[in-house]
Structure formats: C-alpha cells, structure tokens
Amino acid sequence: MGVEATSQISAVDKDARLRKALMAALKSGYQVDQGGFDLLSNLPEIVDLEAVVSWAVEESVKTGNQSFWLSREVLEEAVRQVVSKVAPKPVEAGVKVTRGSAIEVESRIEVLSDPTNELGSEASLENFIEYFRDRFRRTERLLRKRMDARDAVSIEDALEAPLRSSVKTIGMVAEKMERKGVIRMRLEGLQSSIAAIVTPSAERSLIEKVQRVFLDQVVCVTGLKVEGDALILTEITWPDLPDRVPAKADVEVCAALLSDMHVGSKMFLRKFFDRFIQWLKGDFGTSGYRDLSGKVKYLVIAGDLADGIGVYPEQERELNIYNIYEQYKVVADYIEQVPEHIEVIAIPGNHDAVRQALPQPAILRKYAAPLYEGRDVHMLGNPSTVRLHGVTVLIYHGRSLDDVVASVPNTSFENPDGAMELLLKARHLSPIYGQRTAIAPERRDFLLIEEPPDIFHAGHIHIFKYRNYRGTLIVNSGTWQSQTSYQRKNGLNPTPAHIPIVNLKTLQVTPLDFTQITV
C-alpha cells in the first residue's frame, strides 16, 4: 500500500473518531465549541476522544453547566484526567519497538538568549540604579507599542497638568498600600514620582486589577489630576502580551518538558524516572505510547536537576547522596541513557550548584563535570530562550512564583499556571525586588520578557499545570520528587512523575502520568 493511500486511511480513521466523539456529546445534550473542536481535532491517536467527551459531560452535569457547551478549557482538563488513568503496558518480549519520525529529523535548535557569558560580578549602588533604569526604559517601550498607552506623558508633565484634567503616564510601582478600602501607589519615573489613588467607589474590576499589580512593576495609569502630586485612578494598563498566532513547527516533532528531578534526595522517584527513560528509548508502553516517544526530539529541563546540599532546613536528613559531585554524576548517568537523536537542554534552579541570584549562569562545570564531558547537553543559564524547529521556548526555573503567590490575591501554589500568566502580563519574570527571590544588580535586566514566547516553561512549584494565554502555551512541568518535610509544613502537595509532551507542530499537550504505569 502506498504512502498516499495509508495517509488517506489515517485521515478517515481520524474523522471517524472525531465524529463519534461529537455524536456522544450530542446524545448527552451537549455541543462542543470551536476551541474544543480544534483541541479534539489535533489530539494524538492514543487519546480516546469518546472517553474525553464522556468525562467532560459528567463534569458539566456535576457543576450545573447550563450553557450545554463543552469548552476547550473543560475538554483540556478531561484530556488530563483520561490520559492519567491509562496505564501503558510493558513491551512483551520479542515485540519490535516502533520508532517515530524524530530519529530521522535533523535538529533545529537556536539559542536566542542565555545570560551565562554576559553576567557581571560587581555589586554596587550604581549597578542597582542602572538595573532599574534599564527595566523602566525597556518596559516603557513595550507599553508605548500599545494603542492605549502611546499618548502617555512623562511623570514630570503629568505633575504640571491642570487640576481635574485627565492624565495618562507611565511609572514603576515603588510603593503600594491598601487601607480602609483605599489603595495608594507611588509611581516613579527616571526623575520624578506621582501618587495614584484608587478609591472605594471605583469599579470592582479596577480595584481587582490594581490589587494584582506587583511592586517594582512598570505600568501605564490614567487618572484625574487632583491637588498635590496625585491622580485618582480610572484605568491601569499592563504591558501584557499582544493577541497573536504562535509559531509552529513544519514537521511533527515533540518536546518533553520536565523539571525538578532532585537527584540525591531520598524522595527522588527513581522507579518512575526509570520508566520515563525506558519510554523515551521506546522500550516501554503500548504501541501508541511508543509511537509518541518516537516523536520526541527535544528534552527540556527547567532546573533543579540535583537536590543540592543545605538548600532548606534539615535537608541533610532527607538526602541519600551527600556529595554534590556524586549527585550530578547520577544526573549525567540518566542523561546518557536518553537516545542520541534527542537534544537535551538544561538550565539551573535554586537547588543547583550555581549562584542563587537571578539571572543564573549555567550549572558550574567544576561541580557538574560529567554533564559537560558525556553526551552533548545544551547547558544554559536561567532564564534562557531557545527556538526549537521554529517554536520559541522561554525556559525559567520559576523561583519568583513564590513571591507572586505570597503577594497577589487569588493566586495559589495549586495553580502555578495562573501565577505564570501574571508574569507574562507584567512582561517580567521576577518583578518584585527584595522578597524571596534574589536579583543580582546587573546593568541590563535579563528578566524582561521582550519577545512573546510560543511556550513558557517553568517548574519550581512541583505542580503540573498548563494553559494557553494569548498565543503562549504556559507549562509548569511538576517534579520527580515526592513530598518533602519542608513542603508538608508549607501545605504543598506535589504532582510527581507527570510529564507534558508538546507536539511542536500543533502545540497540543499530551500529559503522561508515570505513576500509573504498572510493571
């Protein structure tokens, strides 16, 4: 049978699967909206579409969904639930492992940004001042690209505006206080500052918007000029991402996104990580799962490869490898097992052997020599941006997510994707200075998000979540470590051994749960 005929049969089978799923929804009294239809149309064959629709219908009935439409959001959660319950079976002896196309596809990887070789070492007041000036200037340029912020005047001109006139200006949030329903911010420019006040009578949407603004974030505000150096706020504009269509690969290759291995910890889930490596090699799972593993071309690790030494209180009690060199030797042993045709990219996290202040250079060779001396690994700094088969991926460990959750209402560790969305809106990976996240006084702000990424990949929180926001796929890839005592004290319940596989041609996510695989 020719390739064209085989392709036609595959297309017919795919259409039949989709029709059955849509009919199942209709029989239950529900319809699938356009976003949901697009999602179902692009899911790989290993996903049971009827099971996805069935779960979504049951959930809609439970929650009292009166619209009788199944949205993309509901169906994405249904995919996660259905896939997590499927337990791929081990390959039987003598069964030939079917490989996908990735082994025949040439790698296309470009490093767009990596702070490793650009970092200074001098901590001075002048450098701190220049760091924040750089942040202000470049974020102001981003804001002025927006139609609703182009006509903003300088803070100096705003201070000279007539009383009761409407004024629009751009500033960095230097102070923010809320008392008795009044929110008062102090915005700074390069030379002057102005107060922006939100009264209790303001629209609820404006109050909530201002409550979610970070300290040290650059925003555009509109308000009524009052006596003194103050505005009564009527609108606030974030730099935010523009609505856009993301770039996609021209061939079907996948990226496996993982983070937070924590090798060296007693809680490192060796059994499940072994299964993941065997799956990557095509030696584990049903034929559908093995076909998916054969499409993986890139393995992207967003930090905390090792558990480190002395990172949190009484960590030594929870280590089984007490030597940082040995921890990285085990990490390198795992990466050596990854098939040669898969490109491996790794950045550091706060547990790795590198400075804690952001931005971080690549993990130091003197501690992690085996990662540099074995098979090729792209060792980059935190954060870094790469282009994989034309898809731009922003890789960031995610330490500042602690600060986001601590300072912004209605954010939580259970939903790190929501906190990551706020960072995209702010166009900055760590806007708050002086909290848990240390920021080095570089003369250039390497944490600014100038170009919208197609994928924003982070970890640190140990919770697997993903969502789409304005053309960017947000992925927090969870962990390979079970709950530590420190996490237990802080009420953090990780979702270990989940791995998102992103099809770079469609940007669809197939979540795999290796805790569900039975040997």
Side-chain angles (χ1 to χ4, degrees):
M1 183 180 292
V3 173
E4 184 178 349
T6 304
S7 177
Q8 289 173 347
I9 291 173
S10 298
V12 170
D13 290 343
K14 183 177 181 180
D15 289 344
R17 289 171 63 235
L18 186 57
R19 280 198 301 273
K20 287 181 180 179
L22 297 176
M23 287 302 299
L26 284 171
K27 288 178 182 178
S28 300
Y30 285 84
Q31 295 188 61
V32 176
D33 70 9
Q34 185 61 51
F37 180 85
D38 293 341
L39 172 70
L40 294 176
S41 300
N42 289 296
L43 288 173
E45 292 181 9
I46 62 170
V47 180
D48 186 336
L49 300 189
E50 289 185 74
V52 169
V53 167
S54 176
W55 190 95
V57 168
E58 289 179 12
E59 188 66 16
S60 295
V61 171
K62 288 179 189 175
T63 57
N65 178 4
Q66 299 298 316
S67 70
F68 299 104
W69 285 91
L70 300 180
S71 67
R72 183 188 185 101
E73 183 180 10
V74 171
L75 289 166
E76 283 180 341
E77 179 60 28
V79 172
R80 284 193 282 267
Q81 295 295 329
V82 169
V83 172
S84 69
K85 293 176 182 177
V86 176
K89 298 176 182 177
V91 181
E92 297 176 7
V95 175
K96 183 180 179 181
V97 175
T98 303
R99 300 304 298 162
S101 58
I103 197 169
E104 289 127 15
V105 175
E106 186 176 349
S107 300
R108 282 162 46 193
I109 177 170
E110 303 170 67
V111 178
L112 303 181
S113 68
D114 172 14
T116 299
N117 296 319
E118 300 184 51
L119 303 181
S121 57
E122 182 185 354
S124 66
L125 177 60
E126 181 185 350
N127 278 2
F128 270 110
I129 293 171
E130 185 54 38
Y131 170 80
F132 283 105
R133 283 177 175 168
D134 181 69
R135 178 189 296 191
F136 179 84
R137 293 188 188 103
R138 289 162 58 210
T139 310
E140 182 185 28
R141 286 199 292 269
L142 291 175
L143 277 162
R144 291 191 182 279
K145 290 180 180 179
R146 297 178 56 104
M147 292 294 293
D148 51 1
R150 285 182 181 175
D151 57 343
V153 300
S154 67
I155 290 180
E156 291 74 37
D157 288 342
L159 291 170
E160 296 296 325
L163 292 178
R164 313 298 298 175
S165 64
S166 179
V167 175
K168 183 183 294 184
T169 190
I170 294 173
M172 180 181 291
V173 182
E175 298 175 1
K176 180 181 166 188
M177 296 180 293
E178 185 170 359
R179 185 177 181 185
K180 295 182 178 179
V182 177
I183 305 174
R184 184 183 180 91
M185 296 187 296
R186 170 66 58 180
L187 302 181
E188 291 186 346
L190 293 177
Q191 297 177 342
S192 306
S193 68
I194 194 168
I197 301 168
V198 182
T199 65
S201 61
E203 292 185 6
R204 186 64 201 166
S205 59
L206 176 61
I207 294 173
E208 291 176 351
K209 222 174 185 181
V210 173
Q211 286 175 332
R212 295 168 82 81
V213 168
F214 303 113
L215 280 174
D216 307 313
Q217 177 183 344
V218 180
V219 293
C220 178
V221 297
T222 304
L224 193 68
K225 178 71 185 304
V226 294
E227 290 184 8
D229 61 346
L231 303 175
I232 301 298
L233 214 62
T234 57
E235 184 56 77
I236 186 164
T237 303
W238 293 45
D240 214 337
L241 298 183
D243 279 314
R244 74 198 199 291
V245 177
K248 297 178 182 178
D250 54 3
V251 294
E252 191 169 16
V253 292
C254 295
L257 307 182
L258 66 92
S259 65
D260 296 271
M261 294 164 60
H262 290 280
V263 170
S265 168
K266 289 179 180 177
M267 276 66 73
F268 171 59
L269 299 171
R270 180 182 299 273
K271 178 174 71 173
F272 299 139
F273 200 79
D274 284 341
R275 292 177 183 177
F276 167 63
I277 294 294
Q278 292 304 308
W279 174 78
L280 275 182
K281 293 160 70 174
D283 294 337
F284 206 85
T286 60
S287 60
Y289 276 85
R290 282 182 276 125
D291 287 346
L292 180 61
S293 73
K295 294 175 182 176
V296 174
K297 190 67 183 175
Y298 304 100
L299 176 62
V300 186
I301 310 173
D304 282 1
L305 287 73
D307 201 49
I309 309 292
V311 180
Y312 61 89
E314 300 183 347
Q315 181 191 17
E316 65 277 4
R317 297 183 180 181
E318 297 183 333
L319 291 174
N320 65 2
I321 302 176
Y322 298 91
N323 183 302
I324 189 66
Y325 303 97
E326 289 299 318
Q327 289 183 8
Y328 282 117
K329 184 177 183 304
V330 175
V331 172
D333 288 343
Y334 273 115
I335 291 179
E336 283 286 347
Q337 297 178 58
V338 175
E340 280 293 330
H341 70 274
I342 297 177
E343 297 276 4
V344 180
I345 303 161
I347 69 167
N350 58 296
H351 280 250
D352 285 305
V354 70
R355 79 179 191 183
Q356 290 296 293
L358 295 179
Q360 296 174 297
I363 297 170
L364 298 177
R365 179 188 288 266
K366 69 178 182 179
Y367 297 114
L371 286 171
Y372 289 88
E373 296 168 357
R375 61 155 293 169
D376 287 339
V377 179
H378 300 272
M379 301 292 288
L380 307 178
N382 174 35
S384 284
T385 304
V386 297
R387 186 175 289 137
L388 309 178
H389 261 80
V391 177
T392 301
V393 185
L394 171 58
I395 317 165
Y396 171 55
H397 179 62
R399 181 64 192 269
S400 62
L401 296 175
D402 292 341
D403 297 335
V404 175
V405 172
S407 60
V408 179
N410 302 316
T411 56
S412 69
F413 289 121
E414 287 73 25
N415 295 290
D417 52 330
M420 291 171 66
E421 182 179 306
L422 287 177
L423 296 181
L424 288 177
K425 288 181 177 180
R427 300 293 286 269
H428 202 279
L429 293 172
S430 187
I432 308 171
Y433 177 78
Q435 293 194 11
R436 295 186 185 182
T437 308
I439 299 176
E442 301 293 334
R443 297 180 70 86
R444 176 178 173 81
D445 189 350
F446 292 93
L447 306 177
L448 202 66
I449 307 172
E450 289 191 283
E451 296 300 325
D454 302 310
I455 299 174
F456 178 22
H457 173 211
H460 184 65
I461 301 299
H462 291 207
I463 302 289
F464 169 51
K465 287 280 185 171
Y466 66 94
R467 68 168 67 182
N468 285 280
Y469 178 69
R470 293 197 166 189
T472 294
L473 172 64
I474 298 171
V475 180
N476 196 293
S477 52
T479 183
W480 294 90
Q481 180 187 44
S482 60
Q483 190 183 52
T484 66
S485 60
Y486 182 76
Q487 292 168 343
R488 191 158 47 249
K489 289 176 185 176
N490 288 277
L492 179 63
N493 295 303
T495 54
H498 289 63
I499 183 77
I501 309 300
V502 181
N503 186 326
L504 298 181
K505 189 176 183 180
T506 63
L507 295 190
Q508 296 298 319
V509 178
T510 301
L512 303 181
D513 180 359
F514 281 87
T515 67
Q516 297 296 318
I517 301 176
T518 54
V519 179

